[in-house]
Amino acid sequence: MNDLTFSFAGQSLCAMGSGALWWPDQGLLCVSDLHLGKSERLARRGGPSLPPYDSRDTLSRLAADIAQTNAQSVVCLGDSFDDLESLNGLDPEEKIRITTLQAGRRWIWIEGNHDPGPVDLGGSHLAEFEVGPLVFRHIAQPNAKAEVSGHYHPKARLRARGSSITRPAFLADSERLILPAYGTYTGGLYSTAEVLRDLMQDDAIAILTGTQPRMIPMPR
Amino acid sequence: MTQIPARITDWFTAKGWSIHPHQQEMFDRAADPATLLIAPTGGGKTMAGFLPTLSDLAAQDHAGLHTIYVSPLKALAADIRRNLRGPADEIGLSIRIEDRTGDTSATQKKRQRVDPPHILLTTPESLALLTSYEDAPRMFQGVQRVIVDEIHALAESKRGDQLMLALARLQSFCPDLSRVGLSATVEDPDAIARFLARHPDPCPVVQADPGPDPDIRMLETQEMPPWSGGGAAYSIPAVLEQIKQHKTTLIFHNTRAQAEIFFHNLWLANEDAFPIGIHHGSLDRQQRERVEAAMVRGDLRAIVCTGSLDLGIDWGDVDLVIQIGAPKNVKRLVQRIGRANHRYNAPSKALLVPANRFEVVECIAALEAAKAHDLDGEPRGAGPRDVLCQHILIAAAAAPFEADALFQELTSACPYARLTRTEFDACLDFCATGGYALRAYDRWQRLQQRPDGKWQLRDPRSAQRIRMNLGTIQDTDTLKVRLRRNRGGKPLGEVEEAFAASLTPGDTFLIGGQIVRYEGLRDMTVEVSRQANRKPKIATFSGTKFATSTQLSDRILRMFAQPDWPQLPAHTADWLALQRDLSRLPQRDRLLIESFPSDGREHLCVYGFAGRNAQQTLGLLLTKRMEETGLAPLGFVATDYATLIWGLDAVTDPSPLFQLEALRQGLDVWLAGNAVMKRTFRASATIAGLIERNTGGQRKSGRQATFSSDILYDTLLKYDPEHLLMQITREEAMRGLVDFGRIEAMIERIGNRIDLLRLDRVSPLAAPLFLEVGKVPVKGSAEERLLEEESLRLLHEAGLDPA
């Protein structure tokens, strides 16, 4: 299977190669930082004009992961939209697509720094969300326990036999789990960045996404 | 007119000159619709071109523009203006001669449109820009003659294609226009003549006396050239000695970065304090002009330069040309050598300096080719359609047009003579709508058809944008470099944005021969301070990397077949003998592949001799095939003669890798997601007007532009792979950076004669490849395997259990 099972806060979780987190016991799929409508926002802000096919791509991958896991709940961990106006710029076709994905399952939008308010789509809008021992929120908080967050778009780099390999990565220690960004065209922050080194404990691990997710000690 | 007016012949006599036969012939042919003159530098080529114009203007007054002179270089236009002013004054002609280039002031430009001079000296881009104004027909009214200088250089690029489209336009304003081309020695004069003429007009070729053969040799040095690299620092003492012995020396380099490094080293070793200058395209204009002026005054003993001095500006008394690095192309070598000794009928003197051991072989091969007058050249295909799209937009900016008339007009330009109406209509549709995948977006809907059938701009204000994006030269994205001062210090030149992004304050680099310290970035300008005593980090301007020509590669392979090499220096001959001994030397009709382990990895060295670009493509295609067949490649590096691939497993049977059909299929798939394609797409999309070079006032940063063009590319690839721009990109890449044609030719030549040699270690010929820069990593199963290995090792080390 294209995922890696690991244990976090007493729960057995799966890091998927796509960058999604799957919690089999709860039937819960969590994705972070979709940044839907990024191209549309760039254009609106006077940046380069790009066709908004990136949203379509992100949603296709999400649909595939939902189909594969048959998730009962989907948690979008914030920054699902590049900003609140992005939603209006979303193709009607894509809105229908989201609605189709939502059918028959629980859907939770966590607020992010890019999309702080409620959005005009189905599903619940929450600042944070607790299930069992885990709390889901967008940005990691100091001294949090059993917290699943996103926001930083972490990636990790390792060198082997003269080659350098960089992948978006999950970061985890005994208290915290940070998800990689799921959206197409989202950049990343190396695990060696000061903010991530400060946030994560010394024994933190990184799980590199890709064809087969791989775990390594978090590069610092 | 049958005779040159007495005022002019008298002037020649007063100067003690006689009219050369080719100058007379050009005069006799003045009324022909098109004429091409082939003459060496210093052969009175410019006078031959202008003689009919001066004669005309001496015989009778002319109102408005009489002759347009087009050169590929702004500096050349300015130079010709100065060189023409003198004779015109001395002959007593009260005519106006002005240049118009990107450097001309706005006021001057405006005035020129209202009241044009008799002779206008300009560049292809400035001419195309002039045709985009509503008042173009009035300005060009009565033009008799257009002179295209250095047409051999223009004919090799899109700038030439654009120029021919502009001339087609011009010819419809002035049907009697005569076209004159001035060219250096080329391998196929008739092709250049056809390129120049209005299709299908004839175009006779006038040949001037080529003069004596050049005196050209390889520089002998005490030091041996190194195994790899392009700096040729070892040759500095010998080069200084040559500077000492000559009046003025031009030192040519293939790339700007190499020129900078060489200049720096030359300066450090310059104990006699010879005045030496540097000149290349990344330097600030004022800096370049200072060097040019010093050169004209004869103040400089040597100038370190790049292709920016390739073309025929008269720099006075150059008596030696030194070429650092293998010339890659015999024709360019011969043309560069022509820069020395501008006196007609005196031999030019030139020295070649190989930068590394392999280039010794290449330099000798080039010398032999130059002596045999065996010039190289690849015929150029049909005119590219991105230039055509730009031309359609330019036409729309000038006035509403009829599609039929425009098609008629532009098929009279030779590069587009075979354009089909369907192809034209597709370009027109792209200009009008952006093409299928983009038709929902307003910004790409630029033309609309009026009720009377004519096409016009949908928004007249877009004419301004079209003009700002005009041209086919692709600047790499560069940032200006300035000395940090209170308010804008002295400009030094430009560096690539990617290079600037890699700098942190305190880093040092070379520019214009000075070491400077990076202070910070402000308003898209790199601010630096002078720093004299630190070893510099090197400026990586992207100098063009030329591929060694097919003819030159063939010569090298023929040389390898010799039993021994008396013409080569001993160190190089010994090296080749050692290769023959331990492995084998590559042969022309076979393909040599070596396989050997080194440093914990397996290596494969493929001696294709297909030129840098094709060897690069071969590397990409072979690693892809290896990936498919489970050979776990990790990366590769390519030079002009070989590709070195490394991976986890040894290749034992090469034949499945080299099937043309499989490679071709691989090419299609691979091309899709490749960075080379994205770069090519970006260039074509900019020319065709899909991406803007300038957005009114605010400059888009290069990274932003790359970002958006990459996304556009991915989008079109996924949703509209047959979009016009995708077709153009594939065509461009195949003949340019991808150079698949040379791979096909190689595979056809070698058939199944592939020799795979298994060695126990690296061979003499392969060793330098390990030191090459520009290694390309391959992302695939090898990476997954390495990742697995490494993650297990790291987790084990950390005492973690991988669950």
Side-chain angles (χ1 to χ4, degrees):
Chain A
M1 248 318 279
N2 176 18
D3 54 17
L4 187 147
T5 306
F6 64 107
S7 148
F8 176 69
Q11 302 300 310
S12 173
L13 302 178
C14 290
M16 300 180 68
S18 62
L21 180 74
W22 170 235
W23 187 358
D25 292 349
Q26 297 284 339
L28 181 150
L29 186 75
C30 177
V31 291
S32 188
D33 299 272
L34 300 178
H35 285 270
L36 297 172
K38 186 180 184 88
S39 54
E40 191 273 337
R41 181 177 74 105
L42 284 176
R44 184 152 35 80
R45 298 269 170 96
S49 176
L50 313 167
Y53 289 115
D54 56 335
S55 307
R56 196 184 290 191
D57 189 66
T58 303
L59 290 175
S60 302
R61 289 183 300 119
L62 181 57
D65 281 348
I66 290 177
Q68 192 197 325
T69 55
N70 195 20
Q72 296 307 297
S73 311
V74 173
V75 178
C76 297
L77 209 46
D79 286 2
S80 305
F81 300 92
D82 215 46
D83 66 4
L84 285 174
E85 270 180 69
S86 299
L87 189 58
N88 307 326
L90 219 53
D91 214 73
E93 215 176 290
E94 270 139 25
K95 283 194 190 170
I96 292 170
R97 215 146 158 218
I98 294 173
T99 312
T100 316
L101 287 178
Q102 290 177 331
R105 52 181 57 90
R106 188 173 182 203
W107 195 284
I108 290 144
W109 301 106
I110 303 280
E111 289 170 4
N113 51 316
H114 279 260
D115 50 357
V119 289
D120 174 28
L121 276 171
S124 330
H125 303 270
L126 302 172
E128 49 182 69
F129 173 57
E130 282 180 46
V131 200
L134 302 187
V135 55
F136 292 83
R137 64 168 69 97
H138 181 59
I139 304 183
Q141 284 180 3
N143 308 319
K145 301 265 179 239
E147 171 194 71
V148 179
S149 66
H151 182 64
Y152 291 106
H153 302 197
K155 57 182 180 179
R157 173 162 53 192
L158 81 91
R159 290 178 208 286
R161 286 211 244 172
S163 299
S164 161
I165 303 171
T166 300
R167 302 276 173 86
F170 296 82
L171 303 180
D173 59 25
S174 59
E175 303 301 347
R176 245 187 253 295
L177 171 61
I178 303 182
L179 265 55
Y182 194 84
T184 304
Y185 309 141
T186 43
L189 189 66
Y190 280 112
S191 61
T192 50
E194 202 179 338
V195 53
L196 290 174
R197 276 185 294 146
D198 289 351
L199 214 45
M200 304 305 292
Q201 295 165 7
D202 288 345
D203 59 355
I205 52 139
I207 300 171
L208 278 65
T209 58
T211 318
Q212 173 61 52
R214 299 280 178 193
M215 185 189 291
I216 57 170
M218 183 180 109
R220 283 174 177 272
Chain B
M1 201 171 10
T2 51
Q3 268 201 318
I4 301 175
R7 286 159 83 182
I8 295 183
T9 49
D10 289 351
W11 176 78
F12 267 88
T13 319
K15 286 269 174 190
W17 295 342
S18 57
I19 293 175
H20 288 303
H22 64 268
Q23 291 174 330
Q24 182 66 47
E25 193 176 349
M26 290 301 285
F27 177 81
D28 295 340
R29 292 188 176 282
D32 284 10
T35 325
L36 175 68
L37 171 66
I38 311 265
T41 330
K45 194 160 57 172
T46 317
M47 185 44 90
F50 279 104
L51 192 55
T53 301
L54 296 179
S55 300
D56 244 17
L57 293 172
Q60 64 203 10
D61 285 345
H62 182 92
L65 200 50
H66 181 286
T67 293
I68 298 171
Y69 163 94
V70 185
S71 99
L73 287 185
K74 295 181 221 172
L76 193 48
D79 191 47
I80 296 287
R81 176 171 51 77
R82 285 192 294 269
N83 291 350
L84 217 49
R85 191 69 261 171
D89 288 347
E90 287 162 28
I91 294 166
L93 300 177
S94 58
I95 53 171
R96 277 167 53 210
I97 306 171
E98 291 172 14
D99 55 355
R100 181 192 182 95
T101 65
D103 294 348
T104 310
S105 75
T107 349
Q108 169 94 337
K109 280 183 178 165
K110 203 167 261 173
R111 195 185 45 70
Q112 283 172 343
R113 274 168 56 201
V114 180
D115 179 19
H118 295 97
I119 300 178
L120 184 72
L121 310 152
T122 188
T123 57
E125 291 71 30
S126 290
L127 183 64
L129 190 58
L130 279 174
T131 66
S132 79
Y133 291 107
E134 301 82 344
D135 55 10
R138 196 175 48 77
M139 175 174 179
F140 289 119
Q141 198 175 32
V143 175
Q144 302 292 305
R145 197 167 167 82
V146 59
I147 301 172
V148 182
D149 202 357
E150 308 280 346
I151 189 172
H152 60 280
L154 286 171
E156 284 174 358
S157 73
K158 291 186 178 179
R159 302 183 69 199
D161 298 319
Q162 177 160 58
L163 176 61
M164 290 309 134
L165 289 171
L167 291 192
R169 188 106 267 241
L170 202 57
Q171 195 112 39
S172 57
F173 302 145
C174 334
D176 298 331
L177 184 74
S178 299
R179 303 178 180 200
V180 175
L182 309 178
S183 168
T185 319
V186 286
E187 79 288 357
D188 187 0
D190 291 334
I192 307 274
R194 275 195 304 278
F195 178 76
L196 169 69
R198 171 175 56 185
H199 182 78
D201 284 357
C203 177
V205 178
V206 176
Q207 292 267 7
D209 177 0
D213 276 353
D215 167 14
I216 158 176
R217 269 172 287 171
M218 201 160 80
L219 179 68
E220 280 172 22
T221 54
Q222 295 286 317
E223 292 269 329
M224 276 191 278
W227 288 111
S228 83
Y234 77 96
S235 68
I236 298 276
V239 168
L240 270 174
E241 188 53 37
Q242 291 296 330
I243 294 173
K244 199 179 288 184
Q245 289 170 18
H246 290 85
K247 231 182 309 179
T248 309
T249 306
L250 285 188
I251 305 169
F252 276 105
H253 286 262
N254 288 336
T255 71
R256 293 170 188 178
Q258 281 169 11
E260 281 284 352
I261 299 162
F262 193 86
F263 181 67
H264 181 68
N265 289 330
L266 198 60
W267 197 248
L268 292 178
N270 184 8
E271 284 163 7
D272 296 330
F274 290 126
I276 298 174
I278 180 165
H279 191 284
H280 63 69
S282 292
L283 291 180
D284 190 73
R285 198 176 96 215
Q286 292 174 5
Q287 299 258 97
R288 282 199 310 248
E289 283 172 352
R290 270 220 325 271
V291 172
E292 287 163 16
M295 217 168 148
V296 170
R297 284 195 309 270
D299 288 352
L300 295 176
R301 289 293 294 276
I303 298 95
V304 174
C305 57
T306 62
S308 63
L309 276 192
D310 252 349
L311 299 165
I313 302 173
D314 193 346
W315 293 126
D317 256 341
V318 176
D319 53 352
L320 176 67
V321 166
I322 296 181
Q323 161 74 36
I324 308 277
K328 304 286 169 205
N329 173 307
V330 182
K331 185 166 60 179
R332 193 168 49 245
L333 173 67
V334 169
Q335 288 163 1
R336 276 186 178 172
I337 292 169
R339 308 290 306 120
N341 213 337
H342 264 203
R343 279 179 306 277
Y344 203 37
N345 288 337
S348 324
K349 197 168 161 192
L351 289 169
L352 301 188
V353 183
N356 59 48
R357 208 61 64 88
F358 192 83
E359 288 194 350
V360 174
V361 185
E362 203 175 318
C363 281
I364 294 292
L367 279 179
E368 291 176 354
K371 286 207 176 101
H373 298 280
D374 179 14
L375 299 189
D376 31 24
E378 315 274 337
R380 225 166 147 254
R385 284 177 287 166
D386 48 0
V387 180
L388 185 62
C389 291
Q390 189 179 103
H391 184 72
I392 294 174
L393 290 173
I394 292 172
F401 63 85
E402 272 169 30
D404 289 347
L406 186 65
F407 176 68
Q408 195 73 31
E409 178 186 295
L410 59 85
T411 45
S412 77
C414 165
Y416 297 94
R418 291 196 188 148
L419 185 82
T420 65
R421 182 59 196 249
T422 321
E423 287 169 326
F424 170 78
D425 286 339
C427 291
L428 181 58
D429 177 62
F430 165 76
C431 292
T433 68
Y436 178 74
L438 304 176
R439 64 179 61 224
Y441 300 91
D442 248 21
R443 91 159 31 199
W444 289 306
Q445 306 255 333
R446 284 169 303 192
L447 304 184
Q448 66 184 19
Q449 203 165 14
R450 307 196 303 194
D452 67 357
K454 285 192 175 183
W455 292 87
Q456 68 177 19
L457 291 178
R458 208 158 140 255
D459 176 357
R461 284 169 304 181
S462 61
Q464 185 59 21
R465 287 195 150 173
I466 291 168
R467 290 187 187 116
M468 285 179 71
N469 283 289
L470 188 145
T472 59
I473 305 175
Q474 286 303 301
D475 296 333
T476 43
D477 290 284
T478 54
L479 295 178
K480 285 213 180 324
V481 179
R482 274 178 184 282
L483 282 177
R484 173 175 267 184
R485 287 281 159 75
N486 289 342
R487 204 176 304 145
K490 200 172 138 213
L492 295 175
E494 293 177 341
V495 294
E496 277 172 55
E497 183 168 326
F499 175 72
S502 75
L503 295 170
T504 44
D507 278 351
T508 55
F509 61 98
L510 270 170
I511 185 157
Q514 307 180 34
I515 303 174
V516 293
R517 180 179 190 275
Y518 175 67
E519 299 290 351
L521 194 66
R522 203 174 73 184
D523 302 338
M524 304 301 284
T525 302
V526 176
E527 293 193 323
V528 297
S529 58
R530 280 218 175 82
Q531 181 94 14
N533 52 359
R534 295 259 300 266
K535 207 173 152 54
K537 189 173 173 174
I538 292 146
T540 54
F541 320 111
S542 73
T544 327
K545 281 195 173 169
F546 296 105
T548 303
S549 70
T550 310
Q551 285 86 336
L552 202 49
S553 301
D554 275 1
R555 265 184 189 270
I556 294 169
L557 287 170
R558 285 205 298 273
M559 199 190 290
F560 280 171
Q562 294 173 205
D564 52 15
W565 301 277
Q567 74 266 54
L568 293 177
H571 51 70
T572 305
D574 290 349
W575 175 47
L576 295 186
L578 191 65
Q579 167 72 18
R580 187 174 272 166
D581 211 30
L582 295 176
S583 171
R584 219 178 273 184
L585 277 171
Q587 289 168 272
R588 201 181 166 274
D589 56 347
R590 307 186 74 86
L591 180 66
L592 174 66
I593 302 175
E594 293 170 338
S595 153
F596 50 85
S598 177
D599 209 12
R601 299 168 171 189
E602 280 296 333
H603 291 77
L604 195 68
C605 193
V606 184
Y607 298 95
F609 279 83
R612 184 179 294 272
N613 294 336
Q615 290 288 148
Q616 179 96 6
T617 300
L618 193 61
L620 288 157
L621 294 180
L622 287 179
T623 48
K624 187 172 178 306
R625 290 284 294 159
M626 287 169 72
E627 181 73 41
E628 286 162 5
T629 47
L631 287 167
L634 274 168
F636 69 91
V637 68
T639 68
D640 278 306
Y641 61 100
T643 302
L644 179 71
I645 301 173
W646 51 92
L648 300 179
D649 300 321
V651 174
T652 47
D653 178 13
S655 51
L657 297 181
F658 282 90
Q659 282 152 7
L660 192 55
E661 235 359 84
L663 283 183
R664 205 193 306 269
Q665 271 173 21
L667 185 71
D668 287 342
V669 180
W670 159 71
L671 274 182
N674 178 263
V676 169
M677 287 298 275
K678 289 185 178 170
R679 205 156 69 216
T680 311
F681 174 80
R682 184 177 172 195
S684 287
T686 310
I687 292 171
L690 188 69
I691 301 172
E692 286 181 11
R693 215 187 289 259
N694 303 305
T695 29
Q698 147 213 8
R699 185 182 179 280
K700 191 156 57 173
S701 89
R703 185 159 301 175
Q704 257 179 39
T706 311
F707 181 63
S708 61
S709 82
D710 283 3
I711 290 174
L712 266 175
Y713 175 84
D714 289 339
T715 303
L716 292 180
L717 183 69
K718 210 159 175 180
Y719 299 100
D720 193 2
E722 287 311 308
H723 190 273
L724 178 73
L725 271 175
M726 299 303 275
Q727 295 175 25
I728 295 174
T729 304
R730 278 193 290 271
E731 274 171 29
E732 289 284 313
M734 289 298 261
R735 60 183 173 190
L737 290 166
V738 173
D739 215 0
F740 193 65
R742 275 181 83 173
I743 296 178
E744 283 182 317
M746 178 195 82
I747 291 179
E748 262 153 43
R749 197 176 67 225
I750 56 163
N752 53 7
R753 292 179 294 280
I754 299 176
D755 306 314
L756 178 80
L757 291 191
R758 177 68 186 173
L759 308 173
D760 54 6
R761 57 193 167 117
V762 55
S763 74
L765 210 51
L769 280 132
F770 281 80
L771 307 171
E772 275 292 323
V773 290
K775 298 192 166 80
V776 182
V778 174
K779 309 266 173 216
S781 61
E783 190 172 285
E784 294 300 325
R785 261 166 66 181
L786 278 181
L787 199 55
E788 181 179 7
E789 258 175 48
E790 198 57 15
S791 105
L792 288 174
R793 194 185 65 76
L794 287 171
L795 289 176
H796 184 75
E797 220 170 60
L800 291 171
D801 172 27

